[in-house]
């Protein structure tokens, strides 16, 4: 049977009551991290993202969301430590959407990118990406296409690096534009990356450790 | 070339800090002033894509090239940490 990964795309634009419900699910460390963020919008997004992660993983495992624990690894990769033996999870947020991924035994990384206004995708790709990817971004017919191509490549790189538990910066030139099976350098390993259809101009990618194909099921909102 | 480097480094570092605080203020419009002690991710919520833009803008402004190969999250905790990294890992264009 093929492995499967479930992905939820959740809006962080919530009213005060829902925000309070998410906040009530967070542990002391998450609340402290939220409180340290100086921008109210960034703080609220963090709260909703981590609350949504808890709700969705708790529901998948039939465990109260506030009883889940994660430990952050060397490069920020979280591992579910309570309950032990739970699925691999990953979380990403950009602008006002959150992506939550719940997999199985294979390490998972998810990334969501909203093409950032003001960002110069051609200059960034030219400076930091492999030459072929930089050409792909630059050859987009208009500004929206160039921004979209950059966001897609960026999401794919981040998803692979997050699944690998590696550092992003040495992997900026990691080619991800053509093949779905990507070989990371440090830590060494092969990952399979998949583009996930997402509304509103966002780009989402998910990666699982190993080259075996897998199924992706996507839901929008917390009820999916 | 150790001697010129030690003479230039403090001046370059000050330029990096100045450039970084100005850019972060423009990009993120934080409600409190950005200082050397400001935590990039934990206080400003700096995303990796904005961090990439920040590095590119610093490179353009100071006419340097930053080697990102050795960069990791520990060296990006505060403005001061990233300024130290950039100063030690850049070459003039």
């Amino acid at each position: 049977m093929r492995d499967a990964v479930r992905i939820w795309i959740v809006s962080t634009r919530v009213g005060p009551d829902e925000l309070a419900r998410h906040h009530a699910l967070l542990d002391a460390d998450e609340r402290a991290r939220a409180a340290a963020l100086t921008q109210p919008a960034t703080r609220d997004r963090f709260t909703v993202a981590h609350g949504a992660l808890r709700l969705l993983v708790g529901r998948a495992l039939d465990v109260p969301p506030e009883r889940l624990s994660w430990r952050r690894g060397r490069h920020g990769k979280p591992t579910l430590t309570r309950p032990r033996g739970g699925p691999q999870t990953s979380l990403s947020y950009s602008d006002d959407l959150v992506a939550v991924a719940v997999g199985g035994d294979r390490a998972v990384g998810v990334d969501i990118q909203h093409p950032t206004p003001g960002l110069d995708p051609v200059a960034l790709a030219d400076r930091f990406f492999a030459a072929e990817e930089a050409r792909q971004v630059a050859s987009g017919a208009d500004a929206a296409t160039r921004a979209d191509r950059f966001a897609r490549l960026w999401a794919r790189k981040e998803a692979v690096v997050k699944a690998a538990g590696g550092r992003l910066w040495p992997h900026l030139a990691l080619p991800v534009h053509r093949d779905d099976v990507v070989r990371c350098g440090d830590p060494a390993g092969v990952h399979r990356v998949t583009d996930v259809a997402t509304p509103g101009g966002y780009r989402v990618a998910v990666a699982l450790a190993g080259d075996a194909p897998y199924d992706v099921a996507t839901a929008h909102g917390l009820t999916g | 070339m150790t001697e010129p480097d030690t003479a230039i480094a403090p001046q370059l570092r000050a330029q990096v800090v100045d450039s970084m605080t100005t850019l972060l203020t423009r990009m993120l419009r934080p409600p409190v002033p950005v200082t050397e002690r400001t935590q990039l991710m934990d206080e400003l919520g700096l995303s990796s894509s904005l961090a990439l833009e920040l590095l590119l803008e610093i490179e353009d402004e100071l006419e340097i090239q930053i080697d990102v190969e050795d960069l990791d999250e520990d060296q990006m905790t505060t403005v001061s940490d990233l300024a130290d990294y950039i100063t030690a890992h850049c070459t003039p264009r």
Side-chain angles (χ1 to χ4, degrees):
Chain A
M1 205 172 80
R2 273 158 72 108
D3 291 321
V5 57
R6 298 176 70 189
I7 293 170
W8 288 265
I9 309 294
V10 179
S11 171
T12 59
R13 287 193 181 183
V14 300
D17 291 349
E18 198 173 345
L19 184 66
R21 281 197 293 276
H22 283 296
H23 191 261
L25 300 176
L26 305 186
D27 66 17
D29 176 60
E30 288 162 341
R31 287 181 194 186
R33 287 171 64 197
L37 290 162
T38 52
Q39 283 274 22
T42 311
R43 190 185 312 144
D44 293 350
R45 182 177 65 177
F46 178 96
T47 299
V48 175
H50 286 265
L53 174 70
R54 286 180 168 277
L55 272 174
L56 293 164
V57 175
R59 195 184 297 160
L61 298 179
D62 199 20
V63 171
E66 60 274 20
R67 292 184 58 189
L68 300 165
S69 296
W70 281 264
R71 189 191 62 235
R72 281 197 286 169
R74 175 75 182 84
H75 302 298
K77 182 178 172 56
T79 304
L80 193 62
T81 52
R82 193 171 67 163
R84 286 196 177 280
Q88 297 282 330
T89 65
S90 186
L91 172 68
S92 175
Y93 33 89
S94 178
D95 203 26
D96 55 8
L97 285 186
V98 175
V100 172
V102 179
D105 295 336
R106 291 163 70 181
V108 61
V110 72
D111 194 68
I112 184 165
Q113 291 292 330
H114 187 258
T116 312
L119 212 67
D120 183 346
V122 175
L124 286 170
D126 184 54
R127 167 65 183 91
F128 294 108
F129 288 4
E132 205 176 331
E133 291 185 341
R135 278 195 295 274
Q136 188 190 70
V137 172
S139 67
D142 50 47
T145 307
R146 294 189 287 273
D148 177 64
R149 287 181 180 181
F150 179 85
R152 171 179 177 263
L153 294 170
W154 186 247
R156 286 169 70 86
K157 288 174 201 284
E158 284 243 43
V160 169
V161 170
K162 286 166 89 170
R167 289 185 297 136
L168 174 66
W169 303 99
H171 290 104
L172 293 176
L174 181 75
V176 294
H177 63 295
R178 190 181 297 138
D179 297 328
D180 286 340
V181 175
V182 176
R183 189 171 295 276
C184 241
D186 177 25
V190 168
H191 294 79
R192 179 176 286 275
V193 62
T194 306
D195 294 331
V196 180
T198 312
Y202 286 78
R203 279 290 190 167
V204 174
V206 65
L208 259 60
D211 62 357
Y214 51 86
D215 295 320
V216 180
T218 313
H220 297 274
L222 287 168
T223 52
Chain B
M1 296 296 287
T2 315
E3 212 172 303
D5 282 351
T6 48
I8 291 165
Q11 190 188 343
L12 175 62
R13 189 183 181 284
Q15 289 175 327
V16 170
V17 169
D18 192 40
S19 171
M20 205 186 314
T21 50
T22 305
L23 287 165
L24 286 167
T25 303
R26 195 192 74 203
M27 286 159 68
L28 299 167
R29 301 179 194 283
V32 290
V34 177
T35 70
E36 282 204 41
R37 288 194 302 276
T38 300
Q39 299 188 59
L40 295 169
M41 282 163 286
D42 290 351
E43 287 177 15
L44 297 181
L46 186 72
S47 68
S48 48
S49 54
L50 281 176
L52 193 72
E53 187 192 6
L54 177 71
L55 293 176
L56 186 71
E57 297 243 14
I58 292 170
E59 285 190 340
D60 286 347
E61 205 168 292
L62 302 182
E63 298 185 329
I64 55 174
Q65 178 141 339
I66 303 162
D67 177 8
V68 295
E69 277 291 309
D70 295 325
L71 186 58
D72 75 18
E73 296 78 11
D74 291 347
Q75 290 141 334
M76 299 181 67
T77 305
T78 63
V79 168
S80 176
D81 295 330
L82 186 54
D84 287 341
Y85 178 88
I86 292 171
T87 308
H89 294 81
C90 73
T91 46
R93 273 197 196 152

